Amino acid sequence: MMDKNAKIYVAGHKGLVGSAICRCLAKEGFTNIIVRNSSELDLTNQVETLNFFEKEKPEYVFLAAAKVGGIMANQTYPAEFIYKNLMIACNVIHSAYKTGVKKLLNLGSSCIYPRMAPQPMKEECLLTGPLETTNEAYALAKISAIKLCRYYNEQYGTNYISVMPTNQYGIGDNFNMETAHLLPMIIRRFHLAKLLSKNDFMGIKADLKKYKLGWNLDKDINFDDEENLERSLNAVGAYRDKVVLWGDGSVYREMMCSDDLADACLYLMKNKDYKDIGEHVNITSGTDIQLKDLFEKVKQIVGFKGLLEYDTTKPNGTPRKMMDDTKIKTLGWQPKISLEHGISDFYKWYCE
């Protein structure tokens, strides 16, 4: 068991997952949590990282730091994605070994699995087929981190565990319409359409000043021109009487609240070792939802009264991408936050 005064380093504490882990640790009464901003510690720098570990000597490490982005970013900057994520993993894991860290939890991504992996995706299907080409560089770095933990465990007797979370949403998420993941993007689209339908331009201005729209639209926004603001919202699919979404709503996606993921990570860190888990374990609810049903659910929660329209000239993406939950349930953990409850709380936080 972890002592409540144990020194714990959360790498990537400002990100969606890292911040959720920090909240979970604080809620559970852990009082000695170490964090560093990227301006204070460059985890891609081997010397800096090792010096930090030698000075602070954390007992436990949550490795949630990563360079992340959507399809466009992954395709545009593949060299940056593979280099930075490889360097972060190598430096943190090696420094943990060199300084005697008791236990490390490495966070990966469901993109490690083959593009056409059988559904639901079991842990054993890793490296059994080609990866999705649009994020191959990122996936390869994450696979390397899994293997690094495994081989350090085998050669040096360390206790490093790897978890592969499904799609996440939650407090601290990204709402830029160009780079956001699915759920925050559609929540914001419905929210902006609702504000527009009510002529709430004060609310629209507040939203646009806090979050970027993306797609190079922000530089042309005129906050004194309501017609200009409306055209900007129309450009991202938010209208007075409708919301336009990509594809046809036929594909399925799995969603998990980041607070549930953090709960799973702390549960594993406190109760399970590498010998219990093996190479890695999926963190998943084992259920998914068709996008047309998800869109209707979000529309209802946000309170938008208009229509939902599909732009079928845009791609649907992979038909289904669900991870198998057998192993994590066998290890004794199950999710606690339902999708409807999670989205409702997420939307309340966004509005506040």
Side-chain angles (χ1 to χ4, degrees), residues 264-278:
C265 289
L266 185 53
Y267 170 80
L268 293 173
M269 188 69 106
K270 290 195 300 184
N271 300 295
K272 302 297 175 181
D273 297 322
Y274 174 71
K275 62 180 175 58
D276 306 308
I277 294 170

Side-chain angles (χ1 to χ4, degrees), residues 16 168-175 181-188 211 257-259 298 301 337 339-352:
L16 173 62
Q168 298 293 304
Y169 68 89
I171 294 172
D173 221 328
N174 169 28
F175 288 92
H181 291 122
L182 177 67
L183 193 53
M185 179 182 68
I186 61 173
I187 281 178
R188 189 180 183 203
Y211 299 110
C257 180
S258 57
D259 288 319
V298 171
I301 289 169
I337 303 170
L339 183 60
E340 187 160 354
H341 182 73
I343 293 175
S344 295
D345 284 351
F346 184 37
Y347 180 58
K348 287 176 187 175
W349 171 80
Y350 169 71
C351 290
E352 291 166 359

Side-chain angles (χ1 to χ4, degrees), residues 62-311:
F62 290 90
L63 177 47
K67 178 177 175 60
V68 297
I71 291 175
M72 181 175 289
N74 272 274
Q75 288 181 306
T76 307
Y77 310 109
E80 289 183 30
F81 273 86
I82 193 167
Y83 173 78
K84 290 187 176 181
N85 286 298
L86 276 174
M87 290 303 101
I88 290 169
C90 288
N91 292 338
V92 171
I93 292 167
H94 187 67
S95 295
Y97 158 66
K98 293 287 286 185
T99 56
V101 166
K102 287 182 181 178
K103 196 170 181 182
L104 177 146
L105 185 143
N106 165 52
L107 280 134
S109 164
S110 61
C111 72
I112 64 166
Y113 292 120
R115 183 178 185 277
M116 300 306 293
Q119 305 289 312
M121 298 181 291
K122 293 182 179 291
E123 288 83 355
E124 294 77 21
C125 73
L126 182 64
L127 296 178
T128 58
L131 298 165
E132 166 60 44
T133 55
T134 57
N135 57 15
E136 183 183 74
Y138 177 75
L140 286 170
K142 288 298 179 181
I143 292 169
S144 297
I146 296 170
K147 296 297 184 181
L148 200 61
C149 287
R150 172 187 167 180
Y151 296 137
Y152 271 60
N153 290 335
E154 291 179 358
Q155 183 172 344
Y156 302 125
T158 50
N159 190 14
Y160 302 161
I161 59 178
S162 293
V163 302
M164 299 304 113
T166 190
N167 301 318
Q168 298 293 304
Y169 68 89
I171 294 172
D173 221 328
N174 169 28
F175 288 92
N176 182 307
M177 300 292 273
E178 182 180 0
T179 58
H181 291 122
L182 177 67
L183 193 53
M185 179 182 68
I186 61 173
I187 281 178
R188 189 180 183 203
R189 195 170 298 180
F190 278 111
H191 178 70
L192 291 172
K194 182 178 79 168
L195 295 179
L196 196 57
S197 72
K198 294 181 176 181
N199 283 316
D200 185 358
F201 283 97
M202 290 293 290
I204 290 170
K205 290 176 185 178
D207 182 279
L208 295 181
K209 286 178 179 178
K210 184 167 185 179
Y211 299 110
K212 290 186 179 296
L213 280 179
W215 308 112
N216 288 319
L217 294 168
D218 299 277
K219 60 183 176 59
D220 297 321
I221 291 175
N222 182 350
F223 287 97
D224 297 320
D225 183 345
E226 291 182 357
E227 288 186 3
N228 172 274
L229 290 177
E230 185 163 350
R231 285 195 301 271
S232 297
L233 300 197
N234 294 167
V236 296
Y239 295 80
R240 289 177 178 274
D241 60 345
K242 67 181 180 182
V243 164
V244 180
L245 297 159
W246 284 20
D248 60 12
S250 65
V251 303
Y252 290 77
R253 290 293 180 268
E254 186 183 0
M255 303 284 163
M256 175 178 277
C257 180
S258 57
D259 288 319
D260 250 349
L261 171 60
D263 182 71
C265 289
L266 185 53
Y267 170 80
L268 293 173
M269 188 69 106
K270 290 195 300 184
N271 300 295
K272 302 297 175 181
D273 297 322
Y274 174 71
K275 62 180 175 58
D276 306 308
I277 294 170
E279 193 168 69
H280 69 281
V281 59
N282 295 335
I283 306 295
T284 172
S285 65
T287 59
D288 58 8
I289 184 171
Q290 196 167 24
L291 287 195
K292 67 177 184 179
D293 295 327
L294 177 66
F295 297 153
E296 290 292 346
K297 191 181 291 288
V298 171
K299 176 184 169 182
Q300 182 180 5
I301 289 169
V302 172
F304 177 63
K305 304 300 183 184
L307 301 174
L308 197 161
E309 184 177 297
Y310 292 104
D311 181 356

